[in-house]
Amino acid sequence: MNKLVWKEQLNIGVDVIDTAHANLFRIVGKLMDRIENDSNYESACREGIKYLEDYTMKHFSEEEAYMRSIHFRGYEKHKKLHDTFREQTLVALKKTLKSSQYSRQASSRFLATLLGWLTGHIMTEDQEITGVATSQKLHNQSSDSDTAAQIVKQAMEDIFHIGAELVDADYNGRNMGMTLHCRLCYDVDGGGKVQILLGVEDRLIRRGVGLILGLAAMRDTAMVQQVSLQIFEQFLHHMGKLYESDTTYSLRKEELLTSDEFRSDFMTRYPCSLLFDTRLGHFLFCSRKWMPKKLKAESSANV
């Protein structure tokens, strides 16, 4: 496996935060190498993962202190993401690690999930601390495809630093060799709901992860997918915020789909079905919005 490399494009411009991020990547890289190449990795891995966990918690505290010092208005939402990771994601991963007695598979999944979560978090939430991500709030409430295309293209530029060209504004479901399928459904203020469906081509996943993390030669397909899933889940969160401006929302369902589940869901009809091409590969973005019949009736009555 290629050496895990910290990329300057992930810097947000705050030394204490950027240094911590770079150190986290260095620690993860060393542990990945130990898991892959050391036959007696288990005891060192136990100690290394404990150190990694402690360092991550220390970093969260420092990052939160910095946000308070600059009176960052998104502090509460940002801290809630840290808390959820600390209290739910990390707890579940540690439970799996212990029950597997730190098997290679469980240890690799732990590191991949942490790495993917950190990368996605840095590329979305952390960038907003200093305004590095400057995407326009194109929160048009219609399902207009042109507006959706602008939002997606802006988000791809903000997060992945690559251009995306809309090649089909009415995707009909033809096979594009997509291997990662995600769905996100959430509530928004006022009672409405938004569901986003994302399909990503395999070569975009592999080249994208390699471009971002320097892992182009990574041989562990499961680890690549886990890292990618974490990154794209946060991409979907970012898309939701762009659609709804600064409104708060609560997640209802978030899942990785099989290709059959993806096709079955896609056939339920999405008013907005956009196929994009990047220099790394294709991806599909679908969205639909609706509101309960009662709210719709009340809205019509008030017109």
Side-chain angles (χ1 to χ4, degrees):
M1 185 177 69
N2 281 0
K3 183 180 179 181
L4 182 61
V5 179
W6 173 255
K7 298 294 185 69
E8 288 189 1
Q9 72 185 54
L10 295 176
N11 285 342
I12 70 169
V14 180
D15 287 343
V16 65
I17 294 177
D18 292 335
T19 298
H21 288 162
N23 284 337
L24 282 167
F25 271 55
R26 178 181 54 80
I27 298 167
V28 171
K30 285 186 175 181
L31 285 170
M32 284 180 169
D33 185 67
R34 179 64 61 86
I35 291 171
E36 183 175 345
N37 298 310
D38 191 341
S39 59
N40 298 314
Y41 81 96
E42 185 178 337
S43 60
C45 190
R46 285 175 181 266
E47 294 178 6
I49 286 178
K50 179 62 169 65
Y51 177 76
L52 175 63
E53 178 191 351
D54 291 343
Y55 192 93
T56 301
M57 297 306 100
K58 177 176 178 289
H59 162 60
F60 282 176
S61 295
E62 290 176 344
E63 189 171 277
E64 289 163 12
Y66 176 78
M67 287 189 288
R68 291 194 298 271
S69 74
I70 64 170
H71 306 290
F72 177 54
R73 72 170 187 168
Y75 170 77
E76 293 297 335
K77 292 180 182 178
H78 197 122
K79 185 178 184 303
K80 187 175 181 179
L81 293 173
H82 286 176
D83 291 342
T84 299
F85 185 81
R86 270 187 290 242
E87 299 165 8
Q88 298 179 26
T89 305
L90 199 56
V91 170
L93 288 171
K94 287 168 62 179
K95 184 177 180 180
T96 301
L97 267 180
K98 291 179 180 178
S99 64
S100 73
Q101 297 185 335
Y102 286 75
S103 68
R104 289 185 187 275
Q105 182 179 14
S107 297
S108 294
R109 184 175 184 275
F110 177 94
L111 293 175
T113 301
L114 178 60
L115 179 62
W117 188 92
L118 282 171
T119 304
H121 186 71
I122 292 167
M123 295 164 71
T124 54
E125 305 300 331
D126 284 352
Q127 297 289 331
E128 293 184 356
I129 295 174
T130 55
V132 175
T134 56
S135 55
Q136 184 180 357
K137 299 292 185 180
L138 298 170
H139 49 279
N140 188 303
Q141 297 300 309
S142 71
S143 295
D144 179 72
S145 293
D146 289 340
T147 300
Q150 291 180 60
I151 295 171
V152 175
K153 291 169 70 174
Q154 183 68 63
M156 287 295 290
E157 177 64 32
D158 287 348
I159 298 173
F160 300 107
H161 302 282
I162 57 175
E165 178 185 0
L166 179 64
V167 293
D168 191 343
D170 188 21
Y171 176 75
N172 61 12
R174 69 183 185 279
N175 185 17
M176 292 299 299
M178 295 178 182
T179 57
L180 178 66
H181 309 97
C182 299
R183 177 175 59 201
L184 177 68
C185 183
Y186 57 85
D187 292 340
V188 296
D189 287 353
K193 304 176 188 297
V194 174
Q195 184 159 295
I196 296 174
L197 191 66
L198 185 72
V200 188
E201 201 173 6
D202 181 69
R203 63 191 180 112
L204 174 55
I205 295 172
R206 288 197 165 275
R207 294 176 184 177
V209 170
L211 181 66
I212 296 167
L213 303 177
L215 299 176
M218 184 188 283
R219 296 189 297 272
D220 190 334
T221 301
M223 184 175 283
V224 171
Q225 187 178 61
Q226 188 63 35
V227 170
S228 303
L229 176 59
Q230 292 294 319
I231 293 173
F232 278 107
E233 280 184 354
Q234 293 190 61
F235 172 77
L236 292 179
H237 283 279
H238 188 72
M239 290 300 306
K241 289 199 299 182
L242 289 178
Y243 265 114
E244 300 300 328
S245 188
D246 292 324
T247 189
T248 57
Y249 61 86
S250 57
L251 297 179
R252 292 177 56 81
K253 185 182 294 184
E254 187 173 28
E255 57 186 321
L256 178 66
L257 305 178
T258 66
S259 57
D260 288 340
E261 290 171 336
F262 172 82
R263 181 166 291 277
S264 177
D265 193 6
F266 177 79
M267 295 304 290
T268 60
R269 299 182 66 84
Y270 281 78
C272 178
S273 298
L274 309 176
L275 181 66
F276 293 86
D277 186 20
T278 74
R279 58 190 173 87
L280 304 179
H282 292 85
F283 72 95
L284 172 67
F285 176 85
C286 306
S287 68
R288 62 185 176 198
K289 294 189 282 188
W290 69 95
M291 64 175 64
K293 291 182 180 179
K294 181 179 179 181
L295 290 175
K296 187 180 293 185
E298 291 175 354
S299 177
S300 299
N302 292 330
V303 174

